[in-house]
Amino acid sequence: MTNSILLMLLFFSIQWIGAQEISEEFKNTVDSVIQQRPLTFSEINEAVGSHRRDTTYMRYFNIRAAQEKYPYGQAYSLNQLGTKYRNISQYARALQLHQEALNIAKESESIEFEIFSLNMLGVVHRRKISVRAAIDYHREALELGEAIENPSNGIKRSINVSLNGIGNLYQLLGEFGPAIEHYQRSLNLEAQLGNKLGQAINNQNIGECQEEAGKLDEALQSYRTSLAFNEEIESDLGRAICKNSIAQIYIKQKRYSEAMPLLDQAFEKATPLKNDLIIPVVLINKGWALMGLNSYSEAETSLLKGLEIAKKHDQKDNIVKVSALLSELYEKMNKLTEALHYTKQVNTYEKRIRDKEIINYVNDAILSYDSQKLQNRFEVIAVENEIYKLRLKKNQDTILISGIALCLLAAILYILYRQYHLNNEKKLLTLEQSMLRSQMNPHFLFNSLNSIKLYIINNEKKNAVHYLNKFSKLVRKILEASSLREIPLDEELETVELYMNIENIRFSNEINFQIDIDETADVHQIKIPSLILQPFLENALWHGLSSKEGEKNIHLKVHKASEEFIHIVITDNGVGRTVAEEIKQNKVLKRKSVGIDITKERLANFSKDYQNSSSIEIEDLFDENNQASGTKVIIRIPTL
């Protein structure tokens, strides 16, 4: 998959660059860099950094670096392209480019570019409010950086990015104390490095935490400090962000007239940059200030424009903020229908913006609390039972005794009923985890390790390390997935690609495995049960292709069939089911495969939360001579 993405990237890059003019000076600079082959980010950045925000130049650098097999240049240029796409809210494209840079950094064993790429992936996921993924990438980068005894300045800067990123995540979760602690650590290191941009960013972040905690005067001072650094380095984006933040403090202090000039200056700085993150925020704050000045018509125009841009880029936090302001504005304008509409929109997006990990944590806490309440209830009932016994000895009133007995019995039956259901739910969860862990059988693990051992015996150290890394990553992903009921489709695809890489060792790398993802399918948003694709790939390998001579292909395609369904199609050119069954019958040892049946049950259980049902269809393929030419599996996943 990685190679195909790279080829596509190179192709489209060549087409684009063909229509653009690259200066001879830059071409000579690139040739000089490739000839000298510097190994650090700072050395490469010093040579070509003045063009790092120009996608045309960076694509050219990437192509030349790939042609000359200079992976450090590829990692640098791909990360710069990813940053550019991130800043215009094209997150899927940014993730693809940063992931490609990470793969290249790992293959070339460049720890500095590996840490840098991990941090960039964390930043993109943070912008998407994917908290779990973001914190995993930043923590992995931080662990790699801090494990180095004498880190270079480049790695120190990456450590600062990790600290800053983790601080951002704590801030997102409302943990302002830990957030400021991480920002301050990063700020101190940036000061040691003399990095004024880093100092500007961290002061801005500290100010945001102080503002959200209600410490407006402290926040104002932090924003002004950040603005001073941005003025010193002449960063228009930084100026726009800081002036908008200072204006927002003025608005909260009802100093609307003082806020307006700052917002106009921020908008003036942000507009040429076409930065879709800061522009809607400035427009929203401008509408807020105008509303405070009772300029309702102008406020409405500014707020609606900010809402339009926020919705275009799915900026849920901005949508919530502007919807709340529009609701307040329309209430002031006595447009109660419109006010009610935006109030509902606030509630809708607030539900969507809630981080799933937080919800899971809260659900776990509630379950624990319910269990404790049940235990307490049992203890209360035991005490009450003793009281009832004492009363029975003294009271001969049969009706009273009968009534108390009936109430006690009803309470016990209710508690037993609740306990029965809790135990059933626990058993179901345990069973599902056991089934998920059984997806990768011991034979596969044993044979994979034997294959890697053979590389070691044959002194093929590079192959041994390469496949051992893939094997360990696969095992880690299996263990992580086994604790989750559903995962994003992109993580599932990454897991099966690792699985196919390992299995392909035993086929002497004869299997041509390809993954195609249609542009309409956002694999980062699509949820599926974890580890459901592996049984179909295993069947294709060991029943369809293991007995086939010649070319062996497996093709996995993901496309959006309709608004209601995503299709995952797995096609192989194996011997077909009929021949495979005959071969199986002739084997001495026969093992019944239950993987497909378990997968069908899990998909059926998964579909209960959707309006539509999932399905699996298996087709036999035939050539023009009506001879078996393979098998096609179509998995339909509901999205509504």
Side-chain angles (χ1 to χ4, degrees):
M1 181 179 178
T2 300
N3 291 335
S4 63
I5 291 173
L6 178 57
L7 289 173
M8 290 174 63
L9 178 61
L10 291 177
F11 174 79
F12 287 113
S13 297
I14 291 169
Q15 299 300 316
W16 174 264
I17 291 171
Q20 304 292 321
E21 182 178 358
I22 304 295
S23 69
E24 288 299 323
E25 180 184 358
F26 184 78
K27 290 180 181 179
N28 293 334
T29 300
V30 168
D31 290 340
S32 175
V33 169
I34 292 174
Q35 184 177 3
Q36 296 176 14
R37 293 181 174 269
L39 304 180
T40 65
F41 178 94
S42 59
E43 290 175 302
I44 300 173
N45 192 62
E46 185 178 354
V48 301
S50 59
H51 296 286
R52 69 182 185 277
R53 294 294 179 253
D54 191 313
T55 56
T56 302
Y57 280 82
M58 286 300 100
R59 287 192 179 100
Y60 174 82
F61 184 23
N62 181 46
I63 292 169
R64 290 287 294 121
Q67 290 171 344
E68 300 297 329
K69 301 187 185 310
Y70 175 42
Y72 297 92
Q74 287 181 264
Y76 176 92
S77 56
L78 287 168
N79 275 316
Q80 297 305 322
L81 287 168
T83 300
K84 183 68 176 181
Y85 279 106
R86 180 194 76 205
N87 288 338
I88 58 174
S89 303
Q90 294 190 23
Y91 299 129
R93 183 70 171 135
L95 287 172
Q96 183 185 30
L97 290 163
H98 290 313
Q99 184 63 53
E100 183 68 21
L102 177 61
N103 295 340
I104 291 171
K106 287 182 176 180
E107 290 172 6
S108 59
E109 299 180 352
S110 170
I111 191 70
E112 180 177 350
F113 279 103
E114 183 177 350
I115 295 171
F116 187 90
S117 302
L118 286 167
N119 274 326
M120 293 302 99
L121 284 165
V123 172
V124 178
H125 279 292
R126 191 172 73 243
R127 292 278 181 87
K128 292 178 62 184
I129 319 182
S130 301
V131 175
R132 182 184 176 193
I135 204 163
D136 283 348
Y137 281 120
H138 284 310
R139 280 180 175 167
E140 185 176 353
L142 186 59
E143 288 171 5
L144 286 174
E146 292 184 335
I148 300 171
E149 290 187 10
N150 297 307
S152 64
N153 284 346
I155 292 177
K156 286 181 180 177
R157 292 189 186 96
S158 290
I159 291 173
N160 288 339
V161 174
S162 302
L163 288 169
N164 192 277
I166 295 172
N168 287 152
L169 294 167
Y170 275 120
Q171 181 182 346
L172 181 64
L173 298 176
E175 299 289 339
F176 303 124
I180 292 176
E181 179 185 344
H182 280 79
Y183 291 146
Q184 192 61 54
R185 284 177 60 191
S186 178
L187 179 60
N188 294 339
L189 290 172
E190 295 289 14
Q192 293 175 18
L193 292 169
N195 183 8
K196 293 178 181 178
L197 174 60
Q199 293 177 74
I201 291 172
N202 280 288
N203 275 293
Q204 171 70 23
N205 289 335
I206 290 172
E208 289 176 1
C209 290
Q210 292 166 336
E211 179 182 351
E212 291 181 61
K215 301 176 181 179
L216 299 185
D217 292 333
E218 294 179 26
L220 192 59
Q221 182 59 44
S222 296
Y223 289 147
R224 286 170 175 164
T225 303
S226 178
L227 179 59
F229 280 114
N230 281 303
E231 293 285 4
E232 194 171 346
I233 62 177
E234 297 183 350
S235 170
D236 282 343
L237 178 59
R239 288 164 173 159
I241 292 172
C242 291
K243 289 184 178 182
N244 174 72
S245 298
I246 293 170
Q248 186 167 279
I249 295 291
Y250 287 162
I251 294 171
K252 290 182 178 181
Q253 295 175 337
K254 302 187 184 305
R255 297 158 63 181
Y256 306 116
S257 298
E258 295 177 64
M260 286 300 299
L262 288 171
L263 291 170
D264 289 336
Q265 293 168 25
F267 190 77
E268 182 182 350
K269 295 292 184 183
T271 301
L273 300 174
K274 297 181 179 178
N275 188 297
D276 293 319
L277 286 173
I278 184 61
I279 290 176
V281 176
V282 174
L283 287 169
I284 293 167
N285 279 338
K286 189 173 181 180
W288 189 3
L290 288 166
M291 183 167 60
L293 293 170
N294 297 324
S295 299
Y296 295 154
S297 179
E298 294 178 59
E300 180 183 23
T301 301
S302 187
L303 290 173
L304 289 175
K305 183 61 177 176
L307 177 61
E308 178 186 348
I309 300 173
K311 282 189 173 181
K312 179 180 178 182
H313 298 286
D314 195 29
Q315 298 168 350
K316 297 182 180 64
D317 48 351
N318 284 335
I319 295 172
V320 169
K321 178 179 179 180
V322 70
S323 297
L325 288 171
L326 281 167
S327 176
E328 181 182 348
L329 174 65
Y330 284 127
E331 188 174 347
K332 290 177 180 292
M333 298 171 68
N334 202 29
K335 296 182 178 181
L336 301 183
T337 302
E338 289 87 345
L340 179 60
H341 167 75
Y342 284 105
T343 299
K344 291 179 178 178
Q345 191 159 283
V346 170
N347 295 333
T348 299
Y349 275 92
E350 277 185 339
K351 290 179 181 178
R352 295 181 186 176
I353 202 172
R354 290 172 189 161
D355 188 270
K356 190 172 182 179
E357 291 181 43
I358 300 173
I359 294 172
N360 288 340
Y361 174 81
V362 172
N363 286 338
D364 290 343
I366 291 172
L367 181 61
S368 174
Y369 177 67
D370 284 344
S371 299
Q372 186 60 47
K373 283 203 300 184
L374 269 178
Q375 183 63 35
N376 293 340
R377 182 58 179 157
F378 275 123
E379 293 174 0
V380 170
I381 290 174
V383 173
E384 289 177 351
N385 192 38
E386 291 297 324
I387 294 172
Y388 292 150
K389 287 181 180 179
L390 292 173
R391 287 180 179 176
L392 284 173
K393 292 178 181 179
K394 297 179 180 180
N395 194 343
Q396 300 299 319
D397 192 334
T398 305
I399 297 175
L400 182 58
I401 294 173
S402 300
I404 293 173
L406 287 173
C407 291
L408 180 61
L409 179 61
I412 292 173
L413 288 176
Y414 174 75
I415 293 168
L416 291 175
Y417 174 79
R418 287 278 296 159
Q419 186 66 31
Y420 171 78
H421 277 279
L422 287 173
N423 289 336
N424 273 352
E425 290 175 6
K426 183 178 180 181
K427 289 178 182 177
L428 285 172
L429 289 172
T430 304
L431 177 61
E432 184 170 7
Q433 290 178 352
S434 299
M435 287 191 295
L436 288 171
R437 290 190 176 95
S438 70
Q439 294 293 304
M440 305 304 255
N441 59 64
H443 297 290
F444 163 72
L445 300 176
F446 180 78
N447 291 331
S448 298
L449 288 173
N450 268 348
S451 299
I452 294 170
K453 182 176 74 175
L454 186 60
Y455 281 129
I456 298 172
I457 293 172
N458 292 336
N459 203 28
E460 298 182 39
K461 296 180 180 177
K462 188 173 182 179
N463 282 335
V465 172
H466 176 71
Y467 284 107
L468 186 59
N469 285 337
K470 288 183 177 293
F471 178 75
S472 62
K473 187 174 182 180
L474 174 61
V475 171
R476 184 179 69 180
K477 281 189 166 292
I478 293 169
L479 293 176
E480 288 176 351
S482 68
S483 64
L484 302 172
R485 295 191 64 182
E486 59 183 49
I487 61 174
L489 179 54
D490 65 321
E491 291 188 18
E492 176 77 356
L493 293 176
E494 185 179 351
T495 300
V496 298
E497 186 171 14
L498 286 169
Y499 167 73
M500 289 298 298
N501 285 337
I502 298 298
E503 285 284 43
N504 213 357
I505 303 175
R506 296 162 63 192
F507 283 85
S508 301
N509 292 315
E510 293 178 348
I511 305 297
N512 298 316
F513 178 59
Q514 181 181 358
I515 297 178
D516 287 333
I517 302 173
D518 191 83
E519 293 180 355
T520 59
D522 187 352
V523 296
H524 302 288
Q525 299 296 328
I526 299 167
K527 301 291 184 181
I528 65 170
S530 58
L531 301 174
I532 65 164
L533 300 181
Q534 181 269 339
F536 300 103
L537 295 171
E538 182 179 358
N539 275 5
L541 280 170
W542 296 106
H543 298 300
L545 297 176
S546 61
S547 304
K548 175 182 171 60
E549 299 293 335
E551 185 178 3
K552 301 176 181 180
N553 300 321
I554 297 180
H555 180 226
L556 190 154
K557 182 177 181 180
V558 179
H559 69 277
K560 188 174 183 180
S562 65
E563 291 298 325
E564 293 83 14
F565 287 98
I566 290 291
H567 282 190
I568 303 174
V569 182
I570 302 173
T571 308
D572 67 74
N573 66 336
V575 298
R577 288 191 291 175
T578 303
V579 175
E581 184 62 28
E582 292 174 358
I583 295 172
K584 181 180 177 182
Q585 293 300 324
N586 291 329
K587 289 183 178 179
V588 176
L589 294 175
K590 300 179 178 65
R591 183 167 63 94
K592 182 179 180 182
S593 174
V594 296
I596 303 299
D597 293 335
I598 292 175
T599 300
K600 289 180 178 178
E601 292 180 11
R602 292 180 61 223
L603 279 171
N605 188 57
F606 169 77
S607 302
K608 291 178 181 178
D609 296 331
Y610 294 84
Q611 298 177 7
N612 302 299
S613 300
S614 62
S615 64
I616 299 173
E617 181 181 341
I618 303 177
E619 298 180 6
D620 294 311
L621 305 178
F622 300 92
D623 58 19
E624 61 273 7
N625 298 321
N626 204 30
Q627 297 295 316
S629 62
T631 307
K632 178 191 287 187
V633 179
I634 304 173
I635 306 170
R636 297 181 177 87
I637 306 293
T639 57
L640 294 177

